[in-house]
């Protein structure tokens, strides 16, 4: 029997708000040593912000980093899982959407995050290898 997402997810997750200045979010990423942050409106997940979003949608465009808000460049349709879904489902979603992290949402509220490493530790060697191969095939237009 496969474990559930709830059993391996990280429940304490750093988040940002849509209206926060992008520079604050970038500093939080640096301090926390993370490459993505869930974007919330209240307790509701409304997007994700990745280091890739910052580089491609702000820095490469020459944006004023003090004027840009998180919501201006965040991805607004994040792929999510529920805490009761199986790790095999999470693995499949990660591979299909070529992402390394999935926000865990329950009743519309963010309750955690599950990362590629969390799933890989629990997956069979064959499944983990296949997942890593699919995720690594991401092109320059794919999201993290």
């Amino acid at each position: 029997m496969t474990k559930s997402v709830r059993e391996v997810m990280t429940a304490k997750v750093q988040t940002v708000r849509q209206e926060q200045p992008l520079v604050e979010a970038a500093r939080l990423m640096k301090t926390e040593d993370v490459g993505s942050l869930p974007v919330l409106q209240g307790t509701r997940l409304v997007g994700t912000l990745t280091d890739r979003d910052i580089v491609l949608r702000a820095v490469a465009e020459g944006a004023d980093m003090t004027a840009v808000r998180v919501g201006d460049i965040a991805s607004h349709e994040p792929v999510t899982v529920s805490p009761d879904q199986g790790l095999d489902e999470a693995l499949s979603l990660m591979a299909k959407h070529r992402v390394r992290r999935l926000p865990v949402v329950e009743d519309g509220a963010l309750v955690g995050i599950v990362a590629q490493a969390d799933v890989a530790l629990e997956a069979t060697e064959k499944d983990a290898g296949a997942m890593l191969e699919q995720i690594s095939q991401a092109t320059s237009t794919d999201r993290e």
Side-chain angles (χ1 to χ4, degrees), residues 111-133:
V111 295
I113 197 140
V114 64
Q116 168 186 324
D118 300 326
V119 176
L121 288 172
E122 298 297 331
T124 66
E125 192 172 311
K126 178 183 173 190
D127 288 343
M131 174 190 66
L132 293 173
E133 181 179 333

Side-chain angles (χ1 to χ4, degrees), residues 9-30:
M9 72 180 194
T10 300
K12 187 176 186 287
V13 180
Q14 288 292 330
T15 63
V16 290
R17 298 177 322 279
Q18 302 186 94
E19 64 275 5
Q20 275 184 266
L22 186 58
V23 71
E24 283 182 17
R27 287 182 184 135
L28 181 60
M29 286 179 166
K30 179 181 178 183

Side-chain angles (χ1 to χ4, degrees), residues 58-81:
V59 176
E61 297 296 325
D64 177 353
M65 297 297 287
T66 59
V68 176
R69 301 288 175 220
V70 167
D72 296 337
I73 68 159
S75 300
H76 294 287
E77 294 183 17
V79 178
T80 65
V81 292

Side-chain angles (χ1 to χ4, degrees), residues 92-126:
S92 178
L93 282 170
M94 286 178 178
K96 179 180 177 184
H97 296 279
R98 294 182 177 159
V99 295
R100 293 177 176 85
R101 297 163 207 88
L102 293 172
V104 183
V105 177
E106 186 170 42
D107 298 324
L110 179 73
V111 295
I113 197 140
V114 64
Q116 168 186 324
D118 300 326
V119 176
L121 288 172
E122 298 297 331
T124 66
E125 192 172 311
K126 178 183 173 190

